[in-house]
């Protein structure tokens, strides 16, 4: 086909490849075939020349001047803010929702379990008295791991799973205490709180001492203490919360012994109701916060995209 | 800061950094839009829309030729404009043509040129624009990007969402059509720019 210079197929073949030839895109074999054809074909020579000319005109075409600047008007900050805030908003929404679910779950568990005396109430009850809990926690020597104390910085609505010092229902015989190693400390704290609840002020004002080794557990338990109990006193009188499961202990009797008295002990069944309203408020509050944050996140997201 | 720095900042929402990119590419963008659309007002709209869209979607840019990525947005806005023009009942190819009598070119040269030269360049510009207007949009875009703006095949492939083979074939056809138009209407072309056909035919090939 390449050999027949005046063959129509030759012309067509060449014509199709002129553009690639001009751009040096042909394989060596094709290039040499094309050049050989063009050498002997006036028509294809003219075609090649005119094609080159048209391309050169395009390159020489005068460029239109820029009519104006196309720079965007910079918004005063929102775009950047939206970028930043979206991820934070998402996080905040997720956290609020999580806390809400945790709170609600804990509330439900407490309601189901609260009727039975031995059932330990969830630690979330502690949340009801945030200030007291914090005070209690702060009074406790931080070095004492045995005292199951939630992180002091924890906001009232957080750390429901942490076991805390909680005033326990005097009626509950099983004051669940923690595992052996933890028993002393928690029990002592529990003892203190119940002592307080009872209104007993036999405790000398001193910080809780770190739980003694197990043999001395009884002694430790017997030591009522501190500011916490008194701090707890006012609000605790009408509420009683059992410690949570972690504090299951094989020696519930000890706590009972330690308690000097029990004031008017609110039956466990009252607990849900009593503790209910602050808890409900917290739940409602969290619900609103979660919904608000979720709406804000959606708004920012939509505006951003 | 280099281009990548501006891009990264723009991806975080920094509009000032993005405007540096605008400054670097706006002439190219406008020129392309102008050649593809043939109308300065439409080219302005397409260019502005393209930069707004580019900033909005800057986080979709994941590397490679930023020039090609940006021009893809520009050509898409041009296609939008072309579709709009086609929808209008009065639309015709003439709408895409420049009025040869209306000077369009701004003073892109620092030195003042002789009126004759300036007039000739206007004439040439009009002839080219007429030829481009006769091409189907994808051939037109390909021809403008390769032979006017100097894009490589790969850059055009990225800018037009095609493969290199398609780019080559569109280019070949576009060049041939433009050549046919210009050869058929030599009067449109200033004599200074005309093809010396006698020379082309008689010149011995090596």
């Amino acid at each position: 086909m390449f050999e027949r210079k005046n063959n129509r197929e030759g012309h067509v073949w060449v014509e199709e490849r002129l553009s690639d030839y001009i751009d040096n895109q042909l394989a060596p074999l094709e290039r040499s075939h094309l050049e050989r054809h063009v050498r002997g074909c006036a028509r294809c020579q003219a075609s090649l020349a005119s094609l080159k000319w048209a391309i050169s005109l395009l390159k020489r075409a005068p460029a239109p001047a820029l009519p104006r600047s196309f720079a965007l008007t910079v918004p005063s900050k929102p775009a950047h803010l939206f970028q930043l805030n979206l991820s934070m908003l998402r996080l905040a929404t997720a956290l609020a929702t999580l806390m809400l679910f945790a709170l609600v779950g804990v509330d439900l568990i407490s309601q189901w379990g609260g009727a039975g005396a031995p059932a330990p109430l969830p630690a979330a009850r502690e949340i009801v008295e945030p200030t007291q809990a914090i005070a209690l926690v702060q009074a406790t020597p931080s070095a004492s791991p045995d005292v199951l104390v939630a992180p002091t910085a924890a906001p009232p609505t957080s750390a429901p799973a942490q076991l805390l010092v909680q005033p326990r229902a005097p009626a509950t015989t099983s004051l669940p205490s923690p595992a052996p190693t933890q028993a002393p400390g928690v029990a002592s704290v529990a003892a203190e709180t119940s002592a307080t609840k009872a209104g007993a002020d036999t405790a000398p004002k001193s910080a809780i001492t770190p739980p003694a080794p197990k043999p001395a557990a009884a002694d430790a338990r017997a030591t009522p203490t501190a500011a916490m109990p008194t701090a707890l006193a006012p609000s605790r009188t009408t509420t009683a919360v059992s410690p949570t499961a972690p504090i299951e202990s094989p020696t519930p009797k000890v706590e009972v012994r330690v308690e000097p008295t029990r004031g008017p002990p609110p039956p466990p069944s009252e607990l849900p109701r009593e503790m209910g309203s602050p808890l409900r408020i917290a739940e409602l509050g969290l619900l609103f916060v979660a919904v608000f944050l979720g709406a804000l996140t959606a708004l920012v997201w939509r505006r951003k995209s | 800061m280099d281009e990548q720095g501006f891009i990264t900042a723009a991806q975080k929402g920094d509009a000032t950094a993005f405007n540096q990119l605008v400054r670097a590419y706006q002439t190219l963008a406008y020129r392309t839009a102008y050649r593809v659309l043939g109308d300065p007002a439409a080219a302005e709209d397409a260019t502005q829309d393209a930069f707004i869209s580019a900033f909005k979607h800057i986080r979709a840019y994941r590397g490679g030729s930023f020039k090609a990525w940006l021009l893809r947005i520009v050509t898409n806005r041009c296609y939008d404009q072309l579709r709009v023009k086609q929808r209008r009942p009065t639309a015709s190819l003439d709408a895409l043509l420049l009025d040869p009598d209306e000077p369009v070119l701004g003073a892109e040269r620092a030195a003042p040129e002789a009126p004759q030269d300036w007039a000739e360049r206007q004439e040439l510009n009009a002839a080219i624009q007429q030829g481009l207007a006769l091409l189907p949009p994808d051939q037109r875009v390909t021809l403008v990007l390769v032979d006017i703006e100097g894009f490589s095949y790969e850059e055009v492939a990225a800018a037009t969402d095609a493969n290199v083979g398609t780019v080559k074939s569109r280019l070949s056809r576009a060049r041939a059509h433009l050549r046919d138009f210009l050869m058929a209407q030599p009067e449109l072309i200033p004599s200074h720019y005309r093809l010396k056909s006698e020379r082309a035919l008689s010149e011995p090939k090596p």
Side-chain angles (χ1 to χ4, degrees), chain A residues 15 50 54, chain B residues 173-185:
Chain A
E15 193 72 34
S50 61
Chain B
R173 272 178 277 162
R175 282 170 167 172
H177 288 149
L178 182 74
R179 181 270 313 270
D180 294 345
F181 169 78
L182 293 175
M183 292 291 280
Q185 317 214 21

Side-chain angles (χ1 to χ4, degrees), chain B residues 116-165:
Chain B
Q116 175 71 9
D117 296 339
W118 185 82
E120 280 195 337
R121 275 149 48 73
Q122 295 283 58
E123 226 179 303
L124 173 64
N125 188 65
I128 286 171
Q129 211 53 49
Q130 280 188 44
L132 286 174
L134 293 173
L135 298 175
D138 54 356
Q139 285 184 28
R140 196 185 313 165
V141 166
T142 305
L143 188 64
V144 166
L145 289 180
V146 174
D147 284 331
I148 299 183
E149 299 300 341
F151 277 42
S152 71
Y153 289 173
E154 288 72 23
E155 287 173 327
V156 178
T160 56
D161 195 22
N163 60 44
V164 169

Side-chain angles (χ1 to χ4, degrees), chain B residues 42-64:
Chain B
E44 265 191 64
D45 289 345
T47 307
Q48 186 70 83
D49 289 346
F51 280 120
I52 290 172
S53 178
F55 184 53
K56 201 162 129 178
H57 297 107
I58 186 92
R59 300 213 297 187
Y61 168 71
R62 303 217 188 273

Side-chain angles (χ1 to χ4, degrees), chain B residues 187-206:
Chain B
E187 68 280 4
L188 290 177
I189 301 162
S191 56
H192 178 66
Y193 296 99
R194 279 185 204 146
L195 175 66
K196 307 293 183 286
S197 46
E198 319 78 52
R199 196 175 61 197
L201 281 173
S202 62
E203 217 174 294
K205 288 285 177 213

